[in-house]
Amino acid sequence: MATKNAQSYTYKDAGVDIDAGDALVENIKPLAASTRRSGADADLGGFGGLFDLKAAGYTDPILVAANDGVGTKLKVAIEAGIHDTVGIDLVAMCVNDLVVQGAEPLLFLDYIATGALDVGQMTDVVSGIADGCRQSGCGLIGGETAEMPGMYRSGDYDLAGFSVGAAERGTLLDGRSIAEGDVLLGLASSGPHSNGYSLIRRLIEGNQHSYADKAPFADCSLGEAFLEPTKIYVKSTLAAIKAGYIKGLSHITGGGFLENIPRVMPNDLLADIDTGTWELPDIFQWLQAKGNIETREMARTFNCGIGMVAVVGPNNVDATKKILEANGETVFEIGVIRSGTGKPKCRVSGKAGTWGSSESWTSMTGDV
């Protein structure tokens, strides 16, 4: 019971607005409903999300789970005042990690933490999440929004995503069939995706640029250019997987080619990449020039224009490219699998003139 004449505190006084939270839930209900798919057709509002694997068409499924965030790309969104694309990044970083294992993404849940709930801002964020779910064919079945004054400054927020996919038993990609002579197909990225942004932000701020500035390499602002969302490769790669052509897939995230491609290869093999097989996109050329970034640093920090790498047998290259291109991908033959020694490795090489180098160069997994 409140003491007479004493100040009566409320949760809102402490910085948490329950009414705003309720308003946000009402705003995002139709967004979640737009992602409904077989197996996920329940409304938001329960204490847990439901998914019916049988209704999704699975008989003996193996579940695959992935979680991720967007990283400091969120700082770009906050400073640029653009919030409707980072939700796509959040979904992409999770579902691209599922499909490389041969799993179809089925469901997605989000976690949003903020200092003070801005209903419009968070509605924009969730609209991006719903967009990413529609692109990848998974249902947005729930989530959590936490308003935490004192933990985050007003206007700041953080995102985390969790996704579950499935594949019939015995159909998951494990890379065991990858062999010498196989071909590496690179699928074009949409930009830096969601990696390297601590370096990107440092270069932009260190050169006294604003995110409102016109981008020298694109017909938009720097903020818009660097907030281009991560490409979602689910539908195209699943089509190639179901056709039986894919031996392995590598999502090119933090660590670039050098660290990610070996993760899907057996021992005693080397992924040999020739950077002369595609042109380094303008956005990466600008970053490299602004930061005087060495070629090896580029190869282990950014995707450099290739967001996903598929390993296929030499006899299936043309058929695989046809499927991927029919599903909207730009595909390059970027290298081959060669014999190696010990742990799987990746070698990235270029002739003089590639990636800003005045002489031929090579970088290898494990190089200091």
Side-chain angles (χ1 to χ4, degrees), residues 23-301:
L24 178 61
V25 170
E26 290 305 309
N27 282 0
I28 66 179
K29 279 183 177 179
L31 296 173
S34 73
T35 71
R36 285 178 175 171
R37 53 152 295 155
S38 299
D41 56 9
D43 293 325
L44 293 183
F47 285 94
L50 306 178
F51 194 92
D52 185 341
L53 282 167
K54 187 175 181 180
Y58 287 88
T59 56
D60 187 17
I62 298 293
L63 295 181
V64 183
N67 68 301
D68 213 329
V70 182
T72 59
K73 189 173 186 177
L74 291 178
K75 292 293 289 183
V76 179
I78 292 165
E79 292 179 27
I82 302 171
H83 307 283
D84 59 350
T85 57
V86 288
I88 301 175
D89 289 291
L90 184 67
V91 176
M93 295 303 288
C94 293
V95 298
N96 284 342
D97 279 354
L98 293 179
V99 78
V100 298
Q101 297 176 83
E104 175 194 9
L106 301 176
L107 61 92
F108 190 86
L109 299 99
D110 61 66
Y111 173 80
I112 303 172
T114 184
L117 186 57
D118 181 325
V119 175
Q121 180 194 63
M122 287 301 105
T123 301
D124 281 349
V125 170
V126 178
S127 72
I129 294 172
D131 190 354
C133 286
R134 290 191 296 269
Q135 289 185 40
S136 57
C138 62
L140 176 58
I141 67 169
E144 168 70 5
T145 301
E147 193 172 12
M148 297 190 288
M151 184 71 73
Y152 296 91
R153 294 181 302 177
S154 180
D156 283 355
Y157 60 92
D158 197 8
L159 304 176
F162 177 79
S163 189
V164 174
E168 293 291 359
R169 191 179 302 275
T171 66
L172 287 171
L173 295 178
D174 57 16
R176 293 180 185 177
S177 64
I178 295 175
E180 183 179 1
D182 286 343
V183 176
L184 300 167
L185 297 180
L187 281 59
S189 68
S190 56
H193 286 179
S194 296
N195 296 103
Y197 275 81
S198 293
L199 176 55
I200 290 169
R201 288 171 45 245
R202 183 171 183 180
L203 292 178
I204 289 175
E205 294 165 8
N207 285 278
Q208 285 78 52
H209 288 298
S210 162
Y211 291 110
D213 291 350
K214 169 74 170 61
F217 50 83
D219 188 21
C220 62
S221 69
L222 280 174
E224 291 168 329
F226 283 104
L227 286 170
E228 182 68 29
T230 304
K231 199 168 194 312
I232 293 175
Y233 298 97
V234 168
K235 292 184 178 179
S236 59
T237 54
L238 279 179
I241 290 169
K242 290 177 180 177
Y245 296 140
I246 303 293
K247 291 188 173 188
L249 284 171
S250 178
H251 184 200
I252 308 303
T253 56
F257 301 112
L258 298 178
E259 303 301 328
N260 286 293
I261 296 178
R263 295 168 63 182
V264 305
M265 293 162 40
N267 289 334
D268 300 322
L269 290 178
L270 170 69
D272 202 1
I273 294 178
D274 177 4
T275 60
T277 55
W278 80 97
E279 186 174 351
L280 187 69
D282 291 345
I283 192 169
F284 295 105
Q285 292 186 39
W286 185 81
L287 285 169
Q288 186 177 30
K290 279 291 178 182
N292 192 30
I293 303 172
E294 297 288 343
T295 53
R296 169 171 162 72
E297 189 67 16
M298 292 292 292
R300 69 174 183 176
T301 302

